[in-house]
Amino acid sequence: MTLAEQVSALGLGDIEAVAARIAPDIVRTPLLPWMGDGGADRDLRLKPENLQPFGSFKVRAGLNAAHAAQQAGGKTLATASAGNFAQGLGFAARRYGLPLHVHVPDSAARTKVAMLERLGATVHAHDFAEWWRIMETRDAGIADATFVHPVSEAAVIAGNATIGLEIAQDWADAETITIPFGGGGLSTGIALALKLMGRKVEIIACEVETSTPLTAAFAAGEPVTVDRTASFVDGIGSLRVLGEMWPLVERFIDRTVVASIDECAAAVREAALRHRLVVEGAGAAAIAAALRPEFAGRKIVAVVSGGNIDLGTLSGMIG
Amino acid sequence: MTLAEQVSALGLGDIEAVAARIAPDIVRTPLLPWMGDGGADRDLRLKPENLQPFGSFKVRAGLNAAHAAQQAGGKTLATASAGNFAQGLGFAARRYGLPLHVHVPDSAARTKVAMLERLGATVHAHDFAEWWRIMETRDAGIADATFVHPVSEAAVIAGNATIGLEIAQDWADAETITIPFGGGGLSTGIALALKLMGRKVEIIACEVETSTPLTAAFAAGEPVTVDRTASFVDGIGSLRVLGEMWPLVERFIDRTVVASIDECAAAVREAALRHRLVVEGAGAAAIAAALRPEFAGRKIVAVVSGGNIDLGTLSGMIG
């Protein structure tokens, strides 16, 4: 079965089963009415997934993927991740007693690598191109390890879908959801849950100006390779939409909004000042998108995907 | 009726009614398993009230007090507060359409005063002694204003009690709760709810070394005036336990723990790094207390009362 077929085979009962299984290990995040500057002409609420253990939504997917791997007889896990997914999987691997190898780009934030080591994972650093090759091929040269892809993995998408379930439960009237777009796993999962619950909700994928693979793919009608500039927004922004993800992304995402670095930095600051939340650049992109004039009058949720920002960087932004 | 008698007259149904009435305007805060350094030998969970609108638990009490004042025919509100309660009451006053006068000590954090003005309150600054006089006498020289005391007020204590209700609902096994001690309204409210629910929970009031009026009162057997040094921990630390509060405090609080400024600063940093939470000094004191060796093995909740810390101060601590 292709990934798209596996995802299409998921039913609401599957997502509810995942939610029930991971419940003891995750935080049931509330929706927080936006208190920051701007956006007074809309009903904007944040879904603060930065409150999860290890600071991002990825713990949901990690728990589900580790469970699935163990059910399939896996004894060792491996993944390629800029950090957040690896931390979520690391938390899950420790929970299930499985060793974990993590492949990271050498640009990964110090805080993320330190946290992985704290979790007991073995970290392997690669230059970005080699890291991307591992992400595309799932081949990291480690025998007997079950490779868990951070995005193109049905168990990951089903884990992410639990966020959509919670949004639907907590706010029946939500009309629009802005979601940081890394590889599409988060957007696809959330959209899937809402669709399975029969909700009509507009799904906005948020990119940052330094790398816009999805906007480019929508323009070209297929995945294309884009340029990428490093910035403090390091949780999203890849070189290209993965081929396996493209059919799902095309089906589930309505359109993109591209946030500027300045908008992301402003959102980081407002989140700290008005919400007492430490938000990473990717999460800030979803807030920035939700504040755009085009969403005036909307009932809109911004998914704050994570809070793994270097504290020195944060300090410079808020000081 | 004395305040103690008013509080004693409250039943579980009263607290539940408050919880139901304020529910649409507050955040149902989750419990967050502690992820920071230390405390691995206990089950510590944070109750992040810094996620409330305007950054502290005070919005619960403010909503209930404004409702009570309006029910009693009040047209204008006044209060004396270092900031957090005033913000909570300010939010509530706007919600109920009532003008508000706020008396603050001239040492109040810039961020707090700015937020009060943003809420439409009229702010009056006084030196600390005069401010304390207003707090004790409820006389601020403004005619026709209903004075809402931030601590010694049954409606405030009933509002705070909703936190105890939530803790009891979310964690039936909680054994100990550490709570920042400003005037005793938060500790008393939380303890009251747990008592009404038939739970046996140890209530620890947390002070900071720069001002320890409750520790001194317990030692003397009655409220005594203490010295006070200004510090970044500005949400707790008064000159003296209020006479009206003493019978309640004596009945509901088991004992105090005094945190050092260094412990509070470390907790602020850990909360930002591991929980992606901006925590003010008072909230940090509850975390610091809960990490003390004496609580090894415990099921313990630290009530993170608020997140209203100056971002410049925070920046210096995490940078």
Side-chain angles (χ1 to χ4, degrees):
Chain A
M1 274 208 290
T2 66
L3 176 66
E5 287 164 351
Q6 290 174 49
V7 169
S8 298
L10 291 167
L12 185 55
D14 296 313
I15 310 302
E16 288 170 341
V18 175
R21 193 168 55 241
I22 69 176
D25 294 308
I26 68 155
V27 173
R28 178 66 165 75
T29 53
L31 293 176
L32 308 176
W34 173 246
M35 303 291 292
D37 271 349
D41 57 356
R42 68 207 63 194
D43 188 347
L44 166 59
R45 307 184 191 180
L46 308 185
K47 178 75 171 165
E49 287 291 304
N50 54 335
L51 298 180
Q52 295 296 350
F54 296 93
S56 97
F57 74 99
K58 298 279 190 178
V59 67
R60 298 174 184 262
L63 285 162
N64 196 42
H67 172 82
Q70 196 177 54
Q71 292 292 106
K75 302 284 186 231
T76 300
L77 302 176
T79 192
S81 161
N84 274 352
F85 179 72
Q87 282 172 32
L89 190 62
F91 175 71
R94 196 173 60 175
R95 165 86 174 66
Y96 284 98
L98 300 168
L100 172 65
H101 293 269
V102 179
H103 301 274
V104 302
D106 49 20
S107 62
R110 281 182 296 117
T111 46
K112 296 190 178 184
V113 172
M115 231 173 274
L116 288 173
E117 288 170 344
R118 189 178 146 112
L119 272 165
T122 306
V123 178
H124 309 267
H126 308 274
D127 65 47
F128 192 84
E130 167 63 5
W131 176 75
W132 190 248
R133 190 197 60 75
I134 293 171
M135 181 83 98
E136 285 190 318
T137 61
R138 301 173 179 236
D139 175 14
I142 296 170
D144 299 329
T146 303
F147 189 91
V148 181
H149 197 283
V151 176
S152 308
E153 194 88 41
V156 164
I157 291 171
N160 296 339
T162 60
I163 298 171
L165 211 62
E166 292 177 8
I167 292 172
Q169 287 164 353
D170 290 355
W171 198 11
D173 295 339
E175 298 166 335
T176 302
I177 307 182
T178 59
I179 308 170
F181 184 86
L186 180 56
S187 311
T188 299
I190 292 173
L192 172 68
L194 289 156
K195 184 162 252 175
L196 289 173
M197 293 181 78
R199 303 289 173 85
K200 286 237 178 287
V201 174
E202 186 185 29
I203 302 294
I204 305 292
C206 307
E207 298 191 292
V208 62
E209 61 182 334
T210 46
S211 166
T212 59
L214 183 58
T215 303
F218 278 151
E222 62 180 356
V224 291
T225 300
V226 297
D227 290 331
R228 178 179 177 277
T229 311
S231 75
F232 85 94
V233 186
D234 61 355
I236 56 176
S238 74
L239 294 177
R240 185 187 178 95
V241 176
L242 293 165
E244 275 188 304
M245 288 300 294
W246 176 241
L248 290 168
V249 157
E250 221 187 355
R251 190 197 322 161
F252 284 114
I253 294 175
D254 291 295
R255 63 189 174 89
T256 66
V257 168
V258 178
S260 70
I261 289 290
D262 285 352
E263 285 177 302
C264 293
V268 167
R269 195 185 146 77
E270 283 294 294
L273 182 61
R274 307 292 183 198
H275 283 280
R276 290 78 189 173
L277 290 176
V278 175
V279 167
E280 68 187 56
I287 299 174
L291 289 171
R292 286 284 177 83
E294 66 203 80
F295 297 118
R298 289 291 177 83
K299 295 182 173 68
I300 184 166
V301 176
V303 177
V304 178
S305 48
N308 292 326
I309 187 171
D310 183 83
L311 287 194
T313 305
L314 175 67
S315 174
M317 284 180 180
I318 65 175
Chain B
M1 275 209 290
T2 65
L3 176 66
E5 287 164 351
Q6 290 173 52
V7 170
S8 298
L10 291 167
L12 185 56
D14 297 312
I15 310 302
E16 287 170 343
V18 175
R21 192 168 56 240
I22 69 176
D25 295 308
I26 68 156
V27 173
R28 180 65 165 74
T29 52
L31 293 176
L32 308 176
W34 174 246
M35 302 291 293
D37 271 349
D41 56 357
R42 67 205 67 192
D43 187 347
L44 166 59
R45 306 185 190 180
L46 308 184
K47 178 75 171 166
E49 287 292 302
N50 54 335
L51 298 179
Q52 295 297 350
F54 297 93
S56 95
F57 74 99
K58 297 280 190 177
V59 67
R60 298 174 184 261
L63 285 161
N64 196 42
H67 173 82
Q70 196 178 52
Q71 290 293 106
K75 302 283 185 232
T76 300
L77 302 176
T79 192
S81 161
N84 274 351
F85 179 72
Q87 282 172 33
L89 190 62
F91 174 71
R94 196 173 63 175
R95 166 85 175 67
Y96 284 98
L98 300 168
L100 171 65
H101 292 270
V102 179
H103 301 274
V104 302
D106 48 21
S107 62
R110 280 182 298 116
T111 46
K112 295 189 177 184
V113 172
M115 230 174 275
L116 289 173
E117 287 168 346
R118 189 179 146 112
L119 273 165
T122 306
V123 178
H124 310 266
H126 308 274
D127 64 45
F128 193 83
E130 167 63 5
W131 176 73
W132 189 248
R133 189 196 62 75
I134 295 171
M135 180 83 96
E136 285 190 319
T137 61
R138 301 172 180 240
D139 174 15
I142 297 170
D144 299 329
T146 303
F147 188 91
V148 181
H149 197 283
V151 176
S152 308
E153 194 88 41
V156 164
I157 291 171
N160 297 338
T162 60
I163 298 170
L165 212 60
E166 292 176 8
I167 292 171
Q169 287 164 354
D170 290 355
W171 198 12
D173 296 338
E175 298 166 334
T176 301
I177 307 181
T178 58
I179 308 170
F181 184 87
L186 180 56
S187 311
T188 299
I190 292 173
L192 171 68
L194 289 157
K195 185 161 253 178
L196 290 172
M197 293 181 79
R199 302 290 172 84
K200 286 236 178 290
V201 174
E202 185 186 29
I203 302 293
I204 305 291
C206 307
E207 299 192 293
V208 60
E209 60 183 335
T210 45
S211 166
T212 58
L214 182 59
T215 303
F218 278 151
E222 62 180 355
V224 291
T225 301
V226 297
D227 290 332
R228 179 179 177 279
T229 311
S231 77
F232 86 93
V233 186
D234 61 355
I236 55 175
S238 74
L239 294 177
R240 185 187 178 95
V241 176
L242 292 165
E244 277 188 303
M245 288 300 293
W246 175 242
L248 290 167
V249 157
E250 222 188 353
R251 191 197 320 162
F252 284 113
I253 295 175
D254 290 295
R255 63 191 175 88
T256 67
V257 168
V258 178
S260 72
I261 289 292
D262 285 352
E263 285 177 302
C264 293
V268 167
R269 194 185 146 77
E270 283 294 294
L273 182 61
R274 307 294 182 196
H275 283 280
R276 291 77 188 171
L277 290 176
V278 175
V279 167
E280 67 186 56
I287 298 174
L291 290 171
R292 286 285 176 84
E294 66 203 80
F295 297 118
R298 289 291 177 83
K299 296 183 172 69
I300 184 166
V301 177
V303 177
V304 177
S305 47
N308 292 326
I309 187 171
D310 183 83
L311 286 194
T313 305
L314 176 67
S315 174
M317 283 181 180
I318 64 175

